Amino acid sequence: MPQIHIDQNHGLSLTDAQAMAAAWAQSAQDDFGMQAQLAPDPAQPQNDALWHFRRTGAHGTLRVTPERFVLDVTLGFLLGTFKDRIEAGLLNNLEQRLKRISAVQPNSARIDAIAPKP
């Protein structure tokens, strides 16, 4: 099965990083029919947040640490043929969200700054 792994330093406060992940999860549900759920992970440090997501043809996790976003995605056979395009789209989405939140004053955790623009 095709795999996507993105490990990105975010440079945000933990509050802003977690808010950004929550906004991403909501947009993944709204835009792509993903089921996303924040799940406690007793094996990880207390400050980490772990999102599980799933839809037909794809599943994975998004881990939010105080320093990084770590996204791991497994694609099914049909979506696997678009792996490069999907990976590029995920990277672009992450970069755009980081740019939007970096424009907001530090420690603001404003969801409206990181939610996708219509």
Side-chain angles (χ1 to χ4, degrees):
M1 296 277 195
Q3 303 281 319
I4 295 173
H5 177 79
I6 298 172
D7 188 337
Q8 175 71 45
N9 185 13
H10 54 66
L12 304 173
S13 71
L14 182 59
T15 302
D16 283 346
Q18 289 174 343
M20 186 174 149
W24 174 84
Q26 186 62 53
S27 70
Q29 288 177 333
D30 296 344
D31 299 341
F32 303 107
M34 289 272 183
Q35 296 174 347
Q37 180 177 6
L38 181 61
D41 185 355
Q44 295 300 318
Q46 197 167 22
N47 288 335
D48 287 10
L50 181 65
W51 288 87
H52 292 273
F53 58 89
R54 173 175 296 281
R55 66 157 279 170
T56 302
H59 67 276
T61 59
L62 172 63
R63 181 172 308 284
V64 182
T65 74
E67 298 86 23
R68 312 189 76 69
F69 292 117
V70 181
L71 178 67
D72 287 298
V73 181
T74 300
L75 300 173
F77 177 73
L78 292 175
L79 288 179
T81 60
F82 300 101
K83 177 188 178 284
D84 293 340
R85 188 172 173 188
I86 292 169
E87 187 169 15
L90 289 167
L91 283 168
N92 184 55
N93 183 283
L94 177 59
E95 289 172 2
Q96 294 303 314
R97 287 174 183 272
L98 286 170
K99 283 180 186 177
R100 281 197 298 271
I101 199 168
S102 68
V104 177
Q105 292 181 343
N107 301 320
S108 65
R110 289 182 41 201
I111 284 289
D112 60 324
I114 55 180
K117 302 291 181 198

